[in-house]
Amino acid sequence: MFIFNNTTSSSSGFLLTAFPGLEHADVWISIPVCCLYTVALLGNSMILFVIITERSLHKPMYYFLSMLAAADLCLTITTLPTVLGVLWFYSREISLKACLIQMYLVHTFSFLESSVLVAMAFDRFMAICNPLQYAVVLTDMMSLVIGLIIFIRQVIFMFPCGLALSNMSFRGGQELSHPFCYHPDVIKYTHSNPWINNFWGMFLQLFLNGTDLLFILFSYVLILRTVLTIVTPRKQQKALGTCVCHICAVTVFYVPMITLSLAHRLFNSTPRVICSILANIYLLLPPVLNPVIYSLKTRMIRQAIFQLFQFKSSKRPNMRGLRRR
């Protein structure tokens, strides 16, 4: 998908940058970055595999978790080639077509993750505020319908954006602030009015991510109101404990995203290296932390992972015994 080489200028593409001003340390920076990518790929793959193979996890809560892991996995794979290409091989140039495809995919999977977080907030709302109706409302079919609605929502909003991007012309050979293509960074170099395109991008982000965040906050207001009506403090802690993982996932996704968007669109004097660090945090932090948080805090996931490793470890001695026979 991504076409890049070691040249330093081009009239039909862009130049990627890992960390502006720190090019001499790219090799050393690549070590922790590769570790984070490895954790993200293995962690989310493990979550997906466990939920698919373990029948006890075939429930709405874990269906939504698998959607979150899939979105994180796709987002990680989308940026992996260019990030490692810049850090390992100093392959900075990316063709315009590849850049637009990557930019489209980055924002599509980002909006997809936001929508999945809303679905997970609805799941927690039903489980705490309407526990008697939970099994009736959130059936397997309803989980499938919610997944289809999320997919259709992405198509409705992102497909026209893809068509609009394909018809734009850009000034090639420009240096970007990140090792991947990010809309506020790329759109500055369009031949048309960049302010209009930047405003449309900000409106789309505010409409999609903003409405998602408002729905999540409203859900937690209702959850908190319900929890406060519980008399026993122990039951209050138990009810809120089921929301800890989702709250962490929402925080690690929205805080870097909002910070990066403000740094690009409102604070033009922000140093490029700060924007680059924020962008890498925005794209790497959720895929890395989400599987770790859910593995540590969710008992069912943790038990399923332990059982998977125990099965593999018990299978090895049996295989050795068969070979000896």
Side-chain angles (χ1 to χ4, degrees):
M1 181 184 296
F2 302 107
I3 305 163
F4 37 69
N5 53 50
N6 289 322
T7 57
T8 57
S9 63
S10 172
S11 59
S12 60
F14 293 103
L15 298 177
L16 302 172
T17 307
F19 295 93
L22 301 175
E23 287 83 2
H24 61 282
D26 279 353
V27 176
W28 296 107
I29 293 172
S30 68
I31 297 173
V33 170
C34 288
C35 291
L36 291 174
Y37 269 107
T38 302
V39 172
L41 291 171
L42 293 179
N44 288 291
S45 299
M46 177 68 71
I47 294 289
L48 272 175
F49 180 77
V50 165
I51 293 175
I52 291 171
T53 57
E54 184 60 42
R55 289 194 173 186
S56 62
L57 299 179
H58 291 180
K59 299 176 182 178
M61 174 183 174
Y62 302 108
Y63 291 150
F64 297 141
L65 178 57
S66 66
M67 294 179 194
L68 183 68
D72 281 335
L73 196 60
C74 292
L75 191 60
T76 302
I77 293 171
T78 299
T79 59
L80 179 64
T82 52
V83 172
L84 295 187
V86 172
L87 290 175
W88 282 358
F89 309 109
Y90 203 63
S91 301
R92 299 182 59 201
E93 185 180 1
I94 182 171
S95 68
L96 178 60
K97 184 177 180 180
C99 184
L100 294 180
I101 291 173
Q102 186 184 48
M103 180 174 67
Y104 179 81
L105 292 176
V106 164
H107 290 281
T108 297
F109 292 129
S110 178
F111 290 139
L112 180 65
E113 183 164 349
S114 179
S115 301
V116 173
L117 288 172
V118 174
M120 298 175 79
F122 178 68
D123 173 81
R124 290 299 85 208
F125 164 75
M126 289 299 300
I128 294 174
C129 299
N130 299 286
L132 298 178
Q133 297 294 320
Y134 181 84
V136 177
V137 176
L138 277 176
T139 59
D140 290 350
M141 181 57 66
M142 180 56 68
S143 301
L144 178 62
V145 170
I146 292 174
L148 287 174
I149 290 173
I150 291 173
F151 175 76
I152 292 170
R153 185 191 189 211
Q154 304 307 310
V155 172
I156 290 173
F157 285 100
M158 296 307 297
F159 184 71
C161 295
L163 290 178
L165 285 172
S166 63
N167 293 323
M168 286 184 184
S169 58
F170 294 85
R171 299 193 300 273
Q174 303 296 327
E175 189 176 66
L176 304 179
S177 302
H178 312 302
F180 53 86
C181 296
Y182 184 62
H183 180 266
D185 199 24
V186 174
I187 209 68
K188 295 184 295 186
Y189 304 114
T190 180
H191 285 296
S192 57
N193 191 337
W195 187 88
I196 296 175
N197 294 302
N198 201 29
F199 175 80
W200 169 248
M202 190 171 185
F203 168 78
L204 194 63
Q205 190 166 33
L206 285 174
F207 180 76
L208 293 177
N209 292 134
T211 52
D212 289 346
L213 185 57
L214 286 175
F215 187 89
I216 292 171
L217 292 175
F218 180 67
S219 298
Y220 274 103
V221 168
L222 297 177
I223 289 171
L224 188 60
R225 189 181 69 175
T226 302
V227 169
L228 291 176
T229 61
I230 300 175
V231 179
T232 310
R234 189 173 180 179
K235 290 184 178 180
Q236 287 182 343
Q237 293 176 1
K238 185 178 180 180
L240 289 175
T242 61
C243 302
V244 170
C245 294
H246 183 252
I247 293 172
C248 292
V250 169
T251 303
V252 299
F253 176 76
Y254 281 103
V255 172
M257 182 201 68
I258 293 172
T259 306
L260 178 63
S261 183
L262 291 175
H264 264 292
R265 291 187 169 98
L266 298 182
F267 305 115
N268 294 324
S269 60
T270 305
R272 291 177 62 208
V273 66
I274 300 297
C275 289
S276 182
I277 292 171
L278 289 174
N280 283 281
I281 290 173
Y282 162 57
L283 287 184
L284 270 177
L285 197 63
V288 169
L289 290 184
N290 285 341
V292 174
I293 292 169
Y294 277 94
S295 299
L296 293 176
K297 290 291 185 181
T298 307
R299 182 175 56 85
M300 296 285 289
I301 293 290
R302 191 168 61 249
Q303 288 179 350
I305 292 174
F306 285 155
Q307 288 175 3
L308 178 65
F309 283 111
Q310 286 175 359
F311 175 75
K312 286 187 175 181
S313 61
S314 63
K315 196 175 180 180
R316 286 177 183 174
N318 294 333
M319 291 296 293
R320 289 176 184 172
L322 289 173
R323 287 175 183 173
R324 287 175 184 174
R325 290 176 186 176

